[in-house]
């Protein structure tokens, strides 16, 4: 399963966001069911970011969502983002 999350960050908060993201990226990549977890920044608009996450199955996704660092991340970045994130879950064929 792949999760793609697109976010727009307030221009003055880009550095705060990237610093906050480092922790969840590092911890998520150590989860047994996570095969890939990375953040990409648009080179033409530095306020636009995309998380790309890959998990072995739904149980791995559920385990990720249950972690304390995942639960804390949303509130931590709530004041940094513009609008709601666009999140898509894709099953790899």
């Amino acid at each position: 399963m792949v999760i793609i999350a697109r976010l727009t960050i307030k221009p003055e908060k880009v550095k705060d966001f990237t610093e906050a993201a480092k922790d969840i990226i590092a911890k998520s990549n150590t989860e047994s069911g996570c095969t890939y977890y990375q953040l990409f920044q648009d080179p033409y608009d530095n306020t636009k970011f995309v998380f790309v996450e890959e998990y072995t199955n739904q149980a791995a996704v559920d385990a990720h969502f249950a972690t304390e660092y995942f639960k804390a991340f949303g509130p931590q970045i709530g004041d940094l983002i513009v609008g709601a994130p666009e999140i898509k879950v894709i099953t790899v064929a």
Side-chain angles (χ1 to χ4, degrees):
M1 298 187 75
V2 174
I3 297 175
I4 299 170
R6 298 178 188 279
L7 301 93
T8 301
I9 307 303
K10 295 174 184 174
E12 69 278 9
K13 299 295 185 178
V14 167
K15 184 176 180 184
D16 294 337
F17 172 74
T18 56
E19 285 300 314
K22 287 178 184 179
D23 186 54
I24 195 168
I25 293 166
K27 289 177 179 175
S28 297
N29 276 308
T30 65
E31 295 171 19
S32 63
C34 179
T35 58
Y36 185 82
Y37 196 106
Q38 191 55 259
L39 178 65
F40 297 90
Q41 185 176 24
D42 185 325
Y44 303 105
D45 182 347
N46 75 340
T47 66
K48 300 207 180 286
F49 290 84
V50 178
F51 279 104
V52 178
E53 311 165 32
E54 185 177 32
Y55 300 91
T56 55
N57 53 36
Q58 183 63 52
V61 172
D62 294 343
H64 172 68
F65 289 164
T67 64
E68 290 303 317
Y69 51 88
F70 176 80
K71 292 177 188 177
F73 188 64
Q76 183 180 10
I77 65 165
D79 291 337
L80 310 180
I81 62 174
V82 176
E86 177 189 332
I87 302 171
K88 294 188 180 205
V89 179
I90 303 166
T91 301
V92 179

